[in-house]
């Protein structure tokens, strides 16, 4: 990293290829999205019932150049105006990340501008910056297909992980349960919808873990759903998928929102940030909104397009580094596992 404070405004090109979305965005001052092009590969992966890493990498290679060009065109800016190139360095699928990192390095070198390797989860959290002012200390509940974390931000750009999943991520648990309920990938939205249609609920366990823990565990809950289905089948009965979806969702919502509120109170958070693809879940959104309102705690939730993987959120996080002159060198390595706390400014 090199260092020299940047006081002027910034225009960043951001690239995100950590999983199955190829995305490029132009972001002004870390707050204003001039363009945010997202090309999803969901249709390609659906028939395999999940993301196939090798296919994801190939698809990124095929589209990255076009997506970057489209981001510049839609924003109406030319490459001469770009101050830096931000790219997701990790975590994610290594082959997929590599495509974005190599593209980012090539552009930074060709355009002679700084490169900013950016943490994917910092991006999810700072997506909130694109819709409002973040007030510190803030507590972020990160819920996605690959991550479930409670992150304390004592001040701007500083991350402290206070809880994380010990097994499946929330979205992963939703997708596995959805598969057992015969829904196509990604099944999270189907389970959410079915849970709201249910007239009854099959009560399922809640994994609170040790007293005071902010960690999560969803694999036992997923197994409980499968066990209920098997039990019904062995009795020759049809299990009620709707009642199971409702039981599963209520367990998830209870645990994630209760732990988030407890953490906010313990660490004196002045704001709650919800982010990640599972932030689309109506159960989590509504319960968290109600709890925050009752606690007079302001809540920020980005719109769906900024919750699922996208490059604008990477631009929003990278600007924190740009302003402080903290740049990456051209030997930046993509990394499947990279620490969020160490990425702090
Ligand atoms: O953040 P994201 O786009 O990808 C990752 O970075 O992981 O999240 C995708 C995940 C999938 O597992 C999908 O099933 C889940 O978010 N998801 C939902 C809902 N909408 C998307 N899960 C539950 N309820 C929803 N409404
Ligand atoms: Zn993500």
């Amino acid at each position: 990293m090199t260092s020299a404070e940047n006081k002027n405004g910034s225009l960043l090109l951001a690239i995100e290829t950590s999983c199955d979305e190829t995305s490029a965005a132009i972001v002004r001052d870390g707050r204003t999205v001039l363009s945010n092009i997202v090309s999803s590969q969901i249709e390609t992966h659906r028939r395999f019932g999940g993301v196939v890493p090798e296919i994801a990498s190939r698809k990124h290679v095929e589209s990255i150049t076009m997506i970057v060009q489209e981001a510049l065109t839609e924003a109406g800016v030319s490459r001469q105006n770009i101050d830096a190139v931000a790219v997701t360095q990790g975590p994610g699928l290594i082959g997929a990340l590599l495509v974005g990192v190599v593209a980012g390095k090539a552009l930074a070198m060709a355009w002679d501008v700084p490169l900013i390797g950016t943490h994917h989860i910092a991006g999810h959290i700072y997506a909130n910056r694109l819709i409002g002012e973040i007030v510190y200390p803030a507590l972020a509940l990160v819920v996605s297909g690959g991550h479930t974390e409670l992150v304390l931000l004592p001040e701007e750009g500083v991350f402290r992980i206070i809880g994380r999943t010990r097994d499946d991520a929330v979205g992963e648990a939703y997708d596995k349960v959805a598969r057992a309920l015969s829904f196509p990938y990604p099944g999270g939205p189907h389970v959410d919808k079915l849970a709201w249609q249910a007239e009854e609920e099959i009560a399922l366990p809640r994994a609170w873990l040790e007293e005071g823990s902010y960690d999560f565990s969803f694999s036992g809950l997923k197994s409980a759903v499968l066990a209920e289905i098997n039990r019904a089948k062995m009795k020759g009965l049809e299990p009620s998928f709707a009642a199971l979806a409702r039981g599963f969702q209520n367990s998830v919502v209870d645990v994630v929102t209760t732990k988030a509120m407890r953490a906010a109170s313990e660490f004196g958070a002045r704001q709650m940030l919800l982010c990640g693809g599972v932030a689309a879940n109506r159960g989590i959104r509504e319960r968290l909104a109600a709890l925050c309102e009752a606690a007079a705690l302001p809540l920020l939730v980005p719109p769906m397009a900024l919750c699922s993987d996208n490059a604008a959120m990477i631009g929003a996080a990278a600007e924190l580094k740009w302003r402080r002159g903290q740049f990456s060198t051209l030997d930046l390595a993509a990394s499947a596992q990279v620490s969020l706390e160490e990425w702090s400014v």
Side-chain angles (χ1 to χ4, degrees), residues 121-199:
I121 300 299
H124 273 304
I125 294 171
Y126 274 93
N128 281 290
R129 197 178 173 212
L130 300 168
I131 58 156
E133 191 73 35
I134 298 182
V135 183
Y136 301 91
L139 187 84
L141 172 58
V142 186
V143 279
S144 80
H147 307 273
T148 303
E149 269 146 27
L150 275 172
V151 183
L152 178 70
L153 291 94
E155 54 191 277
E156 186 185 67
V158 178
F159 307 90
R160 237 181 87 200
I161 297 181
I162 57 169
R164 51 158 51 106
T165 183
R166 294 182 184 171
D167 38 62
D168 294 345
V170 186
E172 197 180 349
Y174 263 95
D175 292 340
K176 287 178 180 170
V177 165
R179 194 200 283 236
L181 303 184
S182 309
F183 287 119
Y185 174 85
H190 297 285
V191 176
D192 185 12
K193 201 163 155 213
L194 189 61
W196 286 93
Q197 290 163 356
E199 282 165 11

Side-chain angles (χ1 to χ4, degrees), residues 284-298:
I284 297 177
R285 280 177 107 99
E286 290 192 1
R287 181 82 65 83
L288 197 62
L291 291 172
C292 284
E293 196 184 328
L297 181 67

